[in-house]
Amino acid sequence: MIRFIKSIFRKKDYIFIENNKVDIKKMRMVAEDYYLDRKFYCSEAVLKTLKDGFEAPYGDEIIKLSSGFPVGMGNGCACGAINGGVMAIGMFFSGEKAMELTKELQEKFLEKRKFCCCKVLTRGMKLGSKVHLKHCVTITGELTELTAEILARELGYEGKIKKS
């Protein structure tokens, strides 16, 4: 009951962009909460948060497009959170620009994590365990933050992160 009440009151109070500044840390927190609260898996949480945060002209039905990417597309391949970030980039850019930004996103993630493969990123973890959940929540937040930084810059928002 408390979790339900918490989600009702937090649903509409997200203000991600104010005075042309983006609150990237809040976006990260929201994406992590979506995953932790089991509202969405990694790719869905990243896409939903960035769609809402940057006010993409799509309804929530677009989130379904990312539903096949969690757990490395179901077989442990590419990290679903990265795919959520790639889809978010695709909401705003296409063609060469989308590929350029996708490459940047992947390179930034590789700098931090060294791998983009879900099987490697979660090696030794039991799927669904507390350790696995915590690890994937963190990665979901990281990918939301990395993608938000790229989108904020490319969409012309002032500053990278609004200090709270």
Side-chain angles (χ1 to χ4, degrees):
M1 182 67 169
I2 291 173
R3 179 170 276 171
F4 175 72
I5 292 170
K6 176 180 155 189
S7 70
I8 287 174
F9 287 106
R10 291 178 51 206
K11 237 183 221 180
K12 301 271 182 190
D13 68 347
Y14 302 134
I15 299 172
F16 297 113
I17 300 174
E18 191 172 42
N19 298 323
N20 208 37
K21 293 189 180 174
V22 179
D23 191 339
I24 292 172
K25 294 295 182 193
K26 187 180 280 188
M27 285 188 191
R28 179 182 179 141
M29 179 210 66
V30 168
E32 288 175 345
D33 282 352
Y34 279 149
Y35 194 109
L36 189 61
D37 293 345
R38 309 278 172 118
K39 291 180 183 172
F40 296 103
Y41 285 106
C42 54
S43 56
E44 299 165 324
V46 172
L47 185 60
K48 165 79 170 143
T49 303
L50 295 167
K51 176 193 80 67
D52 291 350
F54 287 100
E55 300 175 341
Y58 305 102
D60 277 348
E61 62 277 356
I62 197 166
I63 306 308
K64 292 178 185 177
L65 293 172
S66 66
S67 295
F69 291 107
V71 193
M73 295 185 282
N75 69 4
C77 258
C79 171
I82 292 174
N83 289 317
V86 170
M87 293 181 79
I89 288 168
M91 287 191 299
F92 297 97
F93 301 97
S94 60
E96 297 277 329
K97 186 66 172 180
M99 289 188 291
E100 170 192 323
L101 298 176
T102 295
K103 180 180 179 194
E104 178 185 349
L105 176 64
Q106 183 177 0
E107 287 173 351
K108 286 183 175 195
F109 186 75
L110 285 169
E111 283 175 21
K112 185 167 183 103
R113 293 284 177 170
K114 309 293 182 229
F115 301 97
C116 290
C117 175
C118 185
K119 283 180 188 177
V120 176
L121 291 167
T122 60
R123 183 172 284 140
M125 296 177 199
K126 182 180 177 203
L127 183 64
S129 69
K130 287 182 181 181
V131 171
H132 178 261
L133 178 64
K134 183 179 178 186
H135 179 72
C136 289
V137 164
T138 299
I139 288 177
T140 296
E142 286 173 8
L143 260 302
T144 301
E145 190 172 335
L146 290 171
T147 310
E149 287 174 356
I150 291 168
L151 289 174
R153 181 193 72 222
E154 294 298 318
L155 294 171
Y157 290 101
E158 291 178 22
K160 279 188 179 177
I161 300 172
K162 178 185 152 212
K163 303 287 183 193
S164 297

